[in-house]
Amino acid sequence: MGRYLLRRLLQLVPVFIGTTFLIYWLVWSVPGDPFAGKCGDRRCPDTYINFMTEKYQLDESIWVQYATYMKNLFQGDFGLTYNSRDVGDIIAAAYPNTLKLALVALAIEAIIGLGAGVLTGLRRNGFLDNLVLVSTLFLIALPVFVIGFVLQWLLGVKWGIIHPTVSSEMRLSELLLPGFVLGSASMAYVARVARTSIAENRRADYVRTAIAKGLPMRRVVGVHLLRNSLIPVVTLLGTDLGALMGGAIVTEGIFGINGIGRAVFRAIVTKESATVVSIVVVLVLVYLLMNLLVDLLYAALDPRIRYE
Amino acid sequence: MRVSKRASGAIALGAAFALVASGCSSSSDDGGDAGNSADGAITIDGGEPENPLVPSNTTETNGGKIIDWMWTGLVEYPNDGSAPRNALAESIETTDSKVYKIKIKQDTKFHDGTVVKAKNFVDAWNWGAYSPNGAQNSSFFADIQGFEDVNTADPDGADGPQKAPEPKAKEMSGLKVVDDWNFEVTLAAPTAVFPTKLGYSTFMPLPDAFFAGSAEDFGKKPIGNGPVKFVSWENNVSIKLTRFDDYQLRDKMKIKDVNLKISQDDNAVYSDLVSGNIDFQQQVPVSALAGDKWKTDLGERAISSVTPVTGIIAFPIYDKRFADPKLRRAVSLSINRQEVTDKIFFGNRKPADSWANPLAPGAAPGNCTACQFNVDEAKKLLAEAGGFSGEMVFYYNADASHKEWMEAVAQQVKTNLGINARAEGVPTFAVFRQNINAHKMKGPYRAGWQQDYPDVENWVNPLYVTGGSSNDGLYSNKQVDALAKEASAAPSLDASHAKFAEAVKLIDQDAPSIPVYFAGQQSGRSDKIKKMELTNVGELDVTSVEL
């Protein structure tokens, strides 16, 4: 187990360097001088463009730029935005917000999705099963921004039950709606995967044995059936955290949440390599660590899986 | 030129207006409860400034409006768009429009408690003009004698490998401090409009603290001398401002705190506005304009205004195919501007009929004969010009909402003149600007102009005079240059305006660009605000707000 963990952690290093360079290179290849459009429809003075180009070392080759960036990164310096703000500060402000939102979404999709999945998996072809089938289809078919705008307008503007946007305090109660919107599509998938998995395992030998042993139904489902059926669901949920964080940009926009999606979008448009790479680097780390966590969870869920 | 980076594109306007609380009792005050206002706070829509907040280094609206609130200059532009008046200046005197004696009001203070003295102006202007400081607005100081000694040009442009030589002086010879309250400005050439320019943010004074540290650090915690004081700036979240209690000039703030909520999405802000969670949005999103939805949503909280902004299509005159004035006039005459503004902008913008925006003092309404819609004349001119062969591509930047109207214009040219015209988007404004700067445009392209200061001069010199700061199409007419020079040097503003009118007549014949529409602005406020005004460029005048 220890060696496996170490090996996995060491694997992170080349992946980390590879992704950061790839992203740096991509932002670098976006055409256009980042400062050419800064003065509106008047041309910027050459002196201004030269000053900024030199300050951000944009006249150097991409290798030098990337090397300098990585050197500073390992000293904990994420670099500066073009309005001279510390990228580290932006990350510190935006990441917790997106993470909170993604965790709320994850919790909602786990609870509702798994609940619906288990209920329908046990009672297939009933009324509830059909209801969940139709509503999940509906959620999957609708784009996130439609669900977001409609719910925001209905609950926030028309009925005035909630604030249409999230305040900077990011209270949990305010995050329920954005979390639901963000997690809605995944929630539908979780329900369907859980339903299939439960339904399949329901006919497995060990379940029949457990029932034959005379175990109460609660124990059969809660301990034997659920635990074994969770593997595909956990895979889905685990990798979804990264996807939720990276894909939160639309939800963040609709509900005015100051998260990483917004920050990355702004930085890509303005060609701010330091900001884009720094935010994505942290996102890559989230993906990698979540994947590792999922793999470790397999062992906990299914004793037949061992890591050497 | 301040430019709004919001997708809606429209910037700001001029006519002042005031709201009086309809529900107010019969008390004699003109709306607003003094008790409410005195410690009241508002939350308004804002955006992340693109640069540290230094006046001579800010050209966009997000940072620009904060600078406008935080600083008071020598002159100010009244909200109703009328002629500028003295603010911090006690008097600005000249006999020849070349040497200006400026006296400032005594004992006014910066937010850090230091006194505003003549040297704070002189030092700030020298800093802005000095090229190694790289200020975006450095060219505004070019009127002043000795500018070329402190601001050296890059011999091969910004893209070339060579560096600009070190300037030989650090201070402009035209600026002289007389004593604490007086200074003298000598210009390189007589310029009647110079006092008008002094209200533009580039000419604001800077406290001694600015010169003690770096401009960048100052810009994160700026110290101004205006009615509004800086409190804090949280990246991408909010900028907090408060009343400067020691402020002694006319426009003291009536409420206490202003909280700018930084947003990226106009629609989210609009939802907040409709449900009363935010107090002011300067421009409602395009999605709310269709079918006048915003007026239904907001009722009497909707504020419609006009802004000194003109939407223009410029010709790349350096391209031989567009060198003939007859062809350019033909294209301009073939555009039905009324139809474009009615169908694309739902009547929220007005068809352009003059070269300078009518809100600029000295502008003559209706002086753009090339702006008429006259297909017969256009066809005749096109024939005289020998027709146009090949494709005429109209370019715009695709990262803001210009697609619809540019396509409409191209379609009209195609239908009315039979030219093979179409519109094409350039992905980002930066790439678009880069091509324009490098004079590489291959067809007419979208431009726009918001006046920097209210005068017709600002609509002629930068755009249509040889070497003008925004004459990107390289239009050049010696007679226009001569007339504009004469107009700039005129002894009085009236004489200057008369001469500019003559220059505009020649420009009208040459049609170096196509004015298409005059912008309008659609804003909204909350019920909480009982009284407020917009500035001459359509920003919220926070000092006028009463709750």
Side-chain angles (χ1 to χ4, degrees):
Chain A
M1 186 75 181
R3 282 187 57 183
Y4 174 77
L5 196 63
L6 190 69
R7 209 174 66 221
R8 286 292 299 262
L9 285 174
L10 279 178
Q11 277 173 4
L12 296 187
V13 177
V15 175
F16 180 79
I17 293 177
T19 40
T20 47
F21 180 74
L22 211 61
I23 295 156
Y24 205 98
W25 176 73
L26 281 173
V27 180
W28 181 82
S29 1
V30 173
D33 180 334
F35 308 115
K38 288 271 185 186
C39 304
D41 285 306
R42 185 197 296 283
R43 79 180 288 152
C44 281
D46 289 348
T47 52
Y48 164 77
I49 294 180
N50 285 339
F51 178 82
M52 295 296 279
T53 308
E54 230 164 274
K55 185 174 162 191
Y56 290 93
Q57 292 192 314
L58 299 183
D59 44 353
E60 303 282 0
S61 72
I62 179 168
W63 303 104
V64 176
Q65 287 184 41
Y66 177 70
T68 318
Y69 172 77
M70 287 307 269
K71 198 181 101 214
N72 291 337
L73 189 65
F74 283 114
Q75 289 162 352
D77 176 5
F78 285 99
L80 288 180
T81 64
Y82 292 149
N83 59 357
S84 294
R85 316 292 292 185
D86 200 329
V87 175
D89 289 348
I90 291 183
I91 292 183
Y95 252 97
N97 292 347
T98 302
L99 189 64
K100 258 192 227 171
L101 175 66
L103 285 176
V104 170
L106 199 66
I108 291 178
E109 84 181 56
I111 294 167
I112 303 184
L114 204 56
V118 170
L119 285 179
T120 52
L122 290 176
R123 295 199 188 86
R124 287 170 63 197
N125 302 324
F127 167 74
L128 195 67
D129 191 20
N130 284 318
L131 181 74
V132 169
L133 192 75
V134 171
S135 52
T136 49
L137 248 182
F138 189 68
L139 283 181
I140 292 170
L142 280 182
V144 169
F145 64 88
V146 173
I147 305 178
F149 275 127
V150 168
L151 290 180
Q152 179 191 45
W153 182 77
L154 268 184
L155 300 173
V157 180
K158 185 116 194 283
W159 297 335
I161 304 172
I162 56 158
H163 272 204
T165 58
V166 175
S167 69
S168 52
E169 285 96 59
M170 301 280 296
R171 279 183 292 268
L172 185 64
S173 56
E174 295 173 321
L175 285 177
L176 286 179
L177 180 64
F180 176 82
V181 170
L182 179 60
S184 58
S186 306
M187 183 168 82
Y189 286 118
V190 167
R192 301 197 138 201
V193 169
R195 173 184 176 276
T196 317
S197 184
I198 293 263
E200 255 172 32
N201 286 330
R202 180 85 171 76
R203 292 191 299 261
D205 292 345
Y206 68 90
V207 175
R208 207 169 341 133
T209 313
I211 295 173
K213 253 188 344 188
L215 284 179
M217 204 54 194
R218 265 208 1 247
R219 239 186 115 67
V220 175
V221 174
V223 178
H224 297 279
L225 183 55
L226 199 55
R227 202 168 134 180
N228 282 294
S229 308
L230 270 183
I231 288 191
V233 179
V234 164
T235 314
L236 194 62
L237 287 175
T239 46
D240 210 30
L241 183 67
L244 286 175
M245 292 184 70
I249 177 163
V250 176
T251 317
E252 285 172 5
I254 295 172
F255 295 99
I257 297 168
N258 168 39
I260 54 167
R262 230 174 72 169
V264 158
F265 180 74
R266 194 188 58 80
I268 291 175
V269 171
T270 54
K271 259 196 100 170
E272 240 171 51
S273 327
T275 317
V276 180
V277 182
S278 302
I279 293 179
V280 179
V281 159
V282 185
L283 203 56
V284 166
L285 282 178
V286 171
Y287 263 105
L288 294 175
L289 292 175
M290 279 312 287
N291 268 327
L292 181 58
L293 192 69
V294 167
D295 286 349
L296 295 178
L297 263 179
Y298 287 165
L301 286 169
D302 188 341
R304 287 171 298 186
I305 300 173
R306 289 266 179 279
Y307 294 119
E308 291 310 327
Chain B
M1 168 88 201
R2 291 253 186 84
V3 89
S4 162
K5 297 293 160 70
R6 284 289 168 78
S8 49
I11 318 178
L13 143 87
F17 83 107
L19 303 151
V20 179
S22 49
C24 225
S25 65
S26 56
S27 72
S28 59
D29 74 38
D30 53 357
D33 182 336
N36 264 344
S37 290
D39 52 3
I42 53 171
T43 302
I44 61 177
D45 174 35
E48 178 87 352
E50 278 186 11
N51 301 292
L53 294 166
V54 174
S56 52
N57 199 26
T58 294
T59 51
E60 44 83 41
T61 46
N62 290 335
K65 65 181 166 199
I66 298 172
I67 283 173
D68 288 345
W69 296 335
M70 282 188 56
W71 266 272
T72 298
L74 293 167
V75 304
E76 63 187 0
Y77 306 133
N79 290 342
D80 61 8
S82 57
R85 59 179 176 232
N86 286 348
L88 191 59
E90 186 75 52
S91 63
I92 300 174
E93 284 165 7
T94 184
T95 48
D96 53 3
S97 295
K98 188 167 193 290
V99 180
Y100 287 88
K101 288 185 162 56
I102 298 173
K103 186 177 169 79
I104 62 170
K105 290 187 175 127
Q106 297 192 6
D107 297 321
T108 62
K109 291 207 172 75
F110 282 109
H111 300 155
D112 62 355
T114 54
V115 176
V116 183
K117 294 178 179 167
K119 75 170 170 51
N120 294 108
F121 282 95
V122 171
D123 290 350
W125 298 1
N126 277 326
W127 186 89
Y130 189 59
S131 54
N133 291 330
Q136 284 185 357
N137 273 334
S138 54
S139 62
F140 272 83
F141 301 105
D143 291 338
I144 300 170
Q145 199 173 66
F147 174 76
E148 58 286 348
D149 294 338
V150 300
N151 196 295
T152 47
D154 196 333
D156 52 2
D159 295 334
Q162 291 186 56
K163 298 241 155 79
E166 180 94 352
K168 55 183 172 189
K170 284 201 135 177
E171 288 167 3
M172 290 180 279
S173 57
L175 294 178
K176 240 184 258 129
V177 177
V178 178
D179 58 34
D180 278 356
W181 319 114
N182 290 284
F183 67 108
E184 203 179 278
V185 183
T186 309
L187 304 182
T191 309
V193 77
F194 184 70
T196 299
K197 291 187 182 183
L198 295 175
Y200 187 58
S201 55
T202 300
F203 292 94
M204 298 299 145
L206 291 168
D208 295 344
F210 174 86
F211 304 99
S214 80
E216 206 170 277
D217 291 338
F218 176 88
K220 290 177 190 169
K221 274 182 90 71
I223 301 163
N225 69 330
V228 182
K229 195 164 77 171
F230 178 85
V231 178
S232 67
W233 173 0
E234 201 184 331
N235 289 311
N236 288 326
V237 177
S238 69
I239 294 177
K240 293 193 161 68
L241 306 167
T242 189
R243 179 174 57 215
F244 177 42
D245 286 318
D246 273 351
Y247 190 68
Q248 290 147 7
L249 298 171
R250 177 193 64 83
D251 48 345
K252 196 170 166 110
M253 200 154 97
K254 297 175 185 81
I255 55 168
K256 191 156 189 307
D257 296 312
V258 177
N259 181 8
L260 275 111
K261 191 173 168 191
I262 296 178
S263 66
Q264 210 100 69
D265 190 276
D266 286 348
N267 289 300
V269 178
Y270 185 70
S271 298
D272 264 344
L273 178 73
V274 173
S275 56
N277 291 313
I278 200 163
D279 295 310
F280 181 72
Q281 181 176 24
Q282 188 173 323
Q283 174 65 52
V284 302
V286 181
S287 59
L289 295 180
D292 271 345
K293 179 175 179 296
W294 69 293
K295 285 189 182 152
T296 327
D297 284 349
L298 297 171
E300 58 167 8
R301 301 192 281 135
I303 302 163
S304 188
S305 54
V306 284
T307 54
V309 176
T310 302
I312 299 174
I313 295 175
F315 284 104
I317 296 173
Y318 44 81
D319 183 332
K320 281 202 295 285
R321 295 177 302 157
F322 300 102
D324 190 340
K326 282 182 178 153
L327 168 82
R328 300 195 298 257
R329 251 184 99 83
V331 173
S332 184
L333 287 166
S334 72
I335 298 167
N336 185 347
R337 291 165 176 76
Q338 187 72 46
E339 194 177 277
V340 172
T341 53
D342 283 352
K343 295 227 168 109
I344 311 276
F345 300 120
F346 312 106
N348 287 314
R349 296 181 189 180
K350 299 282 167 254
D353 65 351
S354 64
W355 288 92
N357 191 288
L359 296 169
N367 66 0
C368 178
T369 62
C371 296
Q372 289 155 0
F373 177 48
N374 188 337
V375 179
D376 297 338
E377 172 80 8
K379 279 185 177 150
K380 204 181 102 204
L381 283 170
L382 181 66
E384 284 173 27
F388 185 86
S389 59
E391 202 175 35
M392 188 184 285
V393 184
F394 288 77
Y395 293 96
Y396 58 91
N397 53 311
D399 53 357
S401 40
H402 298 300
K403 183 174 192 248
E404 289 81 6
W405 74 269
M406 286 300 286
E407 279 186 343
V409 165
Q411 189 56 44
Q412 288 184 341
V413 172
K414 187 173 184 170
T415 315
N416 296 335
L417 288 181
I419 291 176
N420 186 12
R422 67 182 173 90
E424 185 179 309
V426 177
T428 63
F429 186 63
V431 179
F432 185 61
R433 253 339 283 186
Q434 218 174 348
N435 292 342
I436 294 174
N437 291 347
H439 308 302
K440 282 185 185 150
M441 298 307 280
K442 294 190 173 61
Y445 53 90
R446 181 206 74 81
W449 191 250
Q450 176 182 14
Q451 68 185 20
D452 304 308
Y453 41 86
D455 196 88
V456 63
E457 186 267 354
N458 195 226
W459 292 88
V460 177
N461 278 347
L463 294 171
Y464 304 117
V465 168
T466 310
S469 63
S470 294
N471 183 356
D472 300 314
L474 301 183
Y475 167 67
S476 182
N477 180 332
K478 289 205 173 64
Q479 281 172 292
V480 171
D481 291 355
L483 281 168
K485 198 173 168 194
E486 235 179 288
S488 307
S492 73
L493 277 181
D494 287 339
S496 165
H497 293 164
K499 273 283 172 221
F500 273 121
E502 286 178 41
V504 167
K505 274 206 183 98
L506 296 176
I507 295 170
D508 186 40
Q509 288 310 310
D510 286 349
S513 67
I514 309 172
V516 179
Y517 65 79
F518 297 139
Q521 178 174 287
Q522 300 78 36
S523 326
R525 60 165 177 100
S526 70
D527 278 329
K528 198 165 121 186
I529 296 180
K530 300 287 186 256
K531 198 177 170 211
M532 55 162 276
E533 289 177 18
L534 297 177
T535 66
N536 69 321
V537 290
E539 291 164 357
L540 174 67
D541 176 5
V542 284
T543 64
S544 71
V545 172
E546 287 177 31
L547 303 180

